């Protein structure tokens, strides 16, 4: 609890500084395209009562679903390939070929195959994020201290017990970091996916406001995206504190 | 029948940069309840020898046996203690201590009783809810010893267990190991690069040459096991002899 309250003050301070800078910039420029924070937030709250709330929820659902699937697929695969050399030697050439391709280019293909609904968007985000999580987890699993593994083996631990007691907890903090980085990527991909023949979601809302020159609504949408990212980040922080208490002693 | 037998043991590592001969024709035999210190320059294959005995290294030639049986990891009667990293940073002192018991299927009141008993013996019961990062080096190694002893082994294998500790802490832990060894009549193989430690704890002292490690000399040491040995004049003459043997082995 103490740790949490230690974080709150600097974070609130950062929010204030950002708002202040935004305010001063908007004042100085006096452009319709850049409303000040006061207007933007009042539009944001008004819009949340109307359509924006729905868009926000749909986008949240898509991002969370994609992160969960990426986690469920990327982490076990990463742990496995990180520890089993033969498997890794077989699969890593494929990984290295596919990893650098910007997966967004498959957006049209994904839409043709999976339709225009949630599934296609979740799939596309997953396609990107799962690699980040997989790669981080695999490298972390590779780096697990050998001496710890040896002493576990000498205690009589079998493979499964070594995964459970050593490899998984050793990788967990890095997995959470990967999730944090992945959540940023996820929101960026979400935006792109939702601006393509989409009818709901923050990306759609933003593009819509954009193309009709409603700049205050554009900023309401941006605030929505920032809020989404902030919620995921804070949740991951909280999880790390719960799941990795040894990191905070 | 001897408890620990090694005959003409040779180990060659086959890595990406070719072969490394780590041990060459090493032999030693230990009766039940005896202690042996293995000393030699770093990289001469001391850890390799222990890993063979612990069953963690399966690529060797010659003969190695503990209690007449082939070494294998996780054998009930063998405990291995490593220099630094035996402990899991994400588990508390308590969880680390009872880990071996848990892995071997002990649970419930039996687990609690054995864990508490051994932590009290090591004088670190008060620390049971702390994480390794919150402990001093000496306390950490006590946890490592506690975890091994909780399994009530017959053979204790130790790989430079105290080399990262300050002098006084090291002596205190050496005293502790001495006491445990006597009380439990353990058979002990201690790898060390400290001459004093070898003389204090090893009834038999095996001096190895630089890589590939060969036995340069095997010394019987009547001083081992004597709590006051450090103050004995013979302690220093024996240490000097070992130092000379080590230097000769280098040439
Ligand atoms: N897995 C391994 N692969 C290749 N060489 C190794 C391996 N483990 C140890 N060696 C080499 O074998 C030699 C003996 O190592 P080790 O038994 O750890 O020595 P010591 O414990 O006496 O310092 C060293 O030269 C080391 O580099
Ligand atoms: Mg060594």
């Amino acid at each position: 609890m103490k740790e949490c309250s230690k974080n709150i003050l600097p974070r609130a301070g950062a929010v204030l500084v950002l708002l202040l800078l935004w305010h001063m910039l908007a004042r100085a420029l006096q452009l319709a395209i850049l409303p000040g924070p006061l207007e933007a937030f009042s539009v944001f709250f008004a819009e949340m009562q109307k359509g924006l709330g729905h868009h926000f929820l749909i986008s949240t659902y898509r991002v969370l679903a994609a992160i969960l699937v990426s986690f469920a697929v990327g982490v076990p695969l990463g742990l496995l390939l990180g520890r089993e050399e033969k498997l890794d030697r077989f699969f890593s050439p494929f990984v290295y070929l596919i990893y650098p391709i910007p997966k967004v280019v498959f957006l049209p293909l994904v839409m043709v195959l999976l339709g225009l609904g949630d599934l296609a968007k979740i799939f596309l985000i997953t396609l990107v994020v799962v690699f980040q999580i997989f790669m981080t987890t695999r490298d972390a699993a590779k780096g697990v201290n050998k001496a710890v593994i040896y002493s576990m083996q000498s205690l009589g631990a079998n493979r499964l017990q070594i995964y459970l007691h050593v490899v998984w907890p050793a990788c967990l903090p890095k997995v959470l970091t990967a999730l944090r980085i992945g959540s940023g990527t996820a929101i960026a991909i979400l935006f792109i996916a939702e601006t393509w023949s989409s009818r709901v979601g923050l990306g759609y809302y933003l593009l819509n406001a954009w193309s009709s020159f409603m700049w205050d609504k554009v900023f309401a949408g941006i605030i929505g995206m920032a809020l989404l990212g902030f919620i995921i980040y804070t949740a991951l922080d909280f999880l790390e504190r719960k799941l990795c208490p040894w990191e905070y002693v | 029948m001897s408890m620990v037998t090694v005959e003409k043991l040779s180990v060659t590592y086959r890595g990406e940069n070719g072969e490394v001969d780590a041990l060459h024709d090493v032999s030693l035999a230990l009766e039940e309840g005896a202690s042996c210190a293995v000393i030699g320059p770093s990289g001469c294959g001391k850890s390799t020898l222990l890993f063979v005995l612990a069953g963690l290294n399966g690529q060797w030639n010659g003969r190695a046996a503990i209690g007449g049986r082939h070494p294998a990891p996780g054998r009930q009667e063998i405990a291995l203690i490593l220099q630094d990293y035996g402990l899991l940073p994400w588990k508390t002192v308590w969880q680390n201590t009872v880990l071996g018991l848990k892995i071997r299927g002990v649970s419930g009141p039996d687990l609690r009783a054995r864990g508490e008993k051994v932590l009290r013996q090591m004088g670190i019961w008060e620390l049971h809810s702390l994480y390794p990062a919150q402990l001093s080096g000496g306390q950490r190694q006590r946890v490592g010893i506690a975890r091994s002893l909780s399994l009530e082994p017959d053979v204790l294998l130790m790989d430079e267990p105290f080399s990262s500790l300050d002098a006084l802490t090291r002596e205190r832990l050496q005293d502790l190991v001495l006491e445990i060894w006597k009380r439990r009549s353990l058979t002990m193989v201690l790898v060390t690069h400290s001459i004093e430690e070898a003389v204090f704890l090893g009834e038999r002292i095996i001096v190895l040459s630089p890589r590939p490690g060969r036995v340069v000399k095997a010394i019987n040491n009547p001083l081992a096991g004597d709590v006051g040995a450090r103050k004995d004049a013979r302690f220093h003459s024996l240490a000097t002899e070992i130092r000379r043997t080590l230097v000769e082995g280098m040439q």
Side-chain angles (χ1 to χ4, degrees):
Chain A
M1 275 290 93
K2 238 191 283 167
E3 291 291 327
C4 280
S5 55
K6 235 189 266 171
N7 261 338
I8 285 176
L9 266 169
R11 254 179 221 183
V15 169
L16 277 180
V17 169
L18 273 179
L19 289 178
L20 202 66
L21 284 177
W22 178 5
H23 178 74
M24 292 192 314
L25 196 66
R27 266 296 178 82
L29 294 177
Q30 293 286 350
L31 293 174
I33 202 170
L34 181 62
L38 287 175
E39 300 148 73
F41 270 96
S42 64
V43 175
F44 171 74
F45 286 118
E47 285 287 296
M48 279 303 263
Q49 323 263 313
K50 292 187 267 165
L52 184 55
H54 181 61
H55 294 297
F56 183 83
L57 284 181
I58 296 283
S59 288
T60 307
Y61 159 67
R62 287 168 177 168
V63 167
L64 285 185
I67 290 178
L68 275 178
V69 176
S70 303
F71 175 84
V73 175
V75 170
L77 272 181
L79 294 178
L80 202 65
L81 293 203
R83 295 312 307 170
E84 314 293 332
E85 258 179 63
K86 279 184 197 142
L87 276 179
D88 190 45
R89 238 176 290 141
F90 181 79
F91 281 108
S92 66
F94 296 101
V95 175
Y96 281 107
L97 285 176
I98 301 170
Y99 179 59
I101 302 173
K103 278 23 139 233
V104 203
V105 298
F106 297 121
L107 178 60
L109 181 63
V110 170
M111 285 187 162
V112 168
L113 292 178
L114 297 179
L116 303 176
D118 290 339
L119 188 59
K121 292 168 180 70
I122 292 170
F123 183 81
L124 189 76
I125 301 170
T126 305
L127 206 55
V128 180
V129 175
V130 77
F131 269 91
Q132 293 182 342
I133 291 172
F134 163 77
M135 299 286 258
T136 314
T137 310
R138 191 193 57 167
D139 291 350
K142 269 192 185 163
V144 171
N145 190 306
K146 269 222 170 99
V148 174
I149 306 249
Y150 283 136
S151 66
M152 286 295 290
Q153 285 174 334
S154 81
L155 289 175
N158 59 31
R159 248 182 197 189
L160 187 68
Q161 287 168 322
I162 289 178
Y163 273 106
L164 206 69
H165 292 294
V166 181
V167 181
W168 165 242
C171 296
L172 185 54
K174 284 172 194 139
V175 166
L176 289 169
T177 302
L179 280 176
R180 230 169 276 159
I181 297 170
S183 68
T185 317
I187 293 174
I189 304 294
L190 172 89
F191 175 74
I192 295 172
E194 285 181 344
T195 47
W196 263 62
S197 51
S198 186
R199 310 226 136 262
V200 281
L202 286 173
Y204 163 78
Y205 176 90
L206 249 165
L207 192 76
N208 198 33
W210 212 338
S211 49
S212 40
F213 308 107
M214 296 186 284
W215 306 116
D216 47 356
K217 277 196 177 184
V218 169
F219 272 80
I222 293 174
I223 292 173
M225 287 212 160
L227 187 66
L228 178 53
F230 183 78
I231 289 172
I232 296 175
Y233 244 72
T234 310
L236 287 170
D237 267 4
F238 178 77
L239 263 184
E240 181 151 15
R241 264 163 225 290
K242 282 277 154 216
L243 298 178
C244 313
W246 68 91
E247 296 250 294
Y248 299 93
V249 294
Chain B
M1 191 192 66
S2 62
M3 191 68 175
V4 177
T5 317
V6 174
E7 277 168 27
K8 290 188 174 302
L9 178 73
S10 298
V11 178
T12 303
Y13 288 108
R14 287 179 182 80
E16 279 157 25
N17 331 316
E19 301 191 344
V20 178
D21 283 321
L23 283 176
H24 189 82
D25 272 358
V26 170
S27 300
L28 68 93
L30 282 186
E31 296 302 311
E32 192 176 339
S35 77
C36 167
V38 179
I39 190 165
S42 72
C44 74
K46 302 184 295 295
S47 300
T48 302
L49 173 63
L50 277 197
F51 278 34
V52 166
L53 290 176
L56 298 175
N57 181 339
Q59 304 282 316
W60 42 271
N61 290 306
R63 209 173 99 75
I66 289 192
R69 292 198 291 131
H70 197 80
R75 265 178 63 181
Q76 196 86 335
E77 69 273 35
I78 306 173
L80 175 70
I81 296 178
L82 299 174
Q83 179 184 344
D84 280 325
Y85 296 107
L87 300 184
L88 303 178
W90 38 87
K91 292 195 186 281
T92 61
V93 167
W94 173 257
Q95 292 166 332
N96 267 294
T97 304
V98 298
L99 189 58
L101 291 169
K102 263 200 174 152
I103 283 172
R104 292 178 189 195
V106 181
S107 63
D110 192 20
L111 177 97
R112 277 198 297 278
R114 286 168 77 173
E116 180 171 346
K117 186 173 142 217
V118 73
L119 279 179
R120 287 197 189 281
Q121 268 174 10
M122 291 295 117
I124 46 172
W125 168 248
E126 302 71 40
L127 309 176
H128 67 269
S129 60
L130 299 183
Y131 286 99
Q134 295 169 291
L135 306 180
S136 70
Q139 291 169 334
R140 261 180 247 177
Q141 200 49 290
R142 278 173 195 259
V143 180
I145 298 172
R147 182 172 70 186
S148 296
L149 291 183
S150 73
L151 302 172
E152 291 169 7
D154 301 323
V155 178
L156 193 59
L157 308 172
M158 291 186 280
D159 192 1
E160 303 190 13
F162 312 130
S163 59
S164 56
L165 304 177
D166 64 85
L168 280 180
T169 309
R170 188 183 319 153
E171 288 193 0
R172 213 174 303 145
L173 280 175
Q174 288 167 352
D175 292 344
L176 183 68
V177 165
L178 187 70
E179 187 204 316
I180 292 164
W181 169 58
K182 283 184 162 175
R183 183 152 33 89
R184 302 204 176 197
S185 64
L186 287 167
T187 310
M188 188 163 81
V189 181
L190 168 78
V191 160
T192 178
H193 57 221
S194 151
I195 295 171
E196 281 72 25
E197 192 164 289
V199 178
F200 189 66
L201 291 173
E203 289 180 309
R204 203 166 166 72
I205 300 171
I206 309 281
V207 182
L208 293 182
S209 69
R211 202 189 75 204
R214 305 160 195 267
V215 179
V216 181
K217 201 168 189 183
I219 300 165
N220 284 319
N221 168 23
L223 296 170
D226 179 359
V227 195
R230 289 192 193 97
K231 297 189 198 83
D232 196 311
R234 287 175 300 166
F235 188 91
H236 297 286
S237 62
L238 187 54
T240 310
E241 184 191 336
I242 292 171
R243 191 166 287 117
R244 195 168 349 107
T245 312
L246 274 170
V247 172
E248 279 164 19
M250 301 286 254
Q251 280 142 17

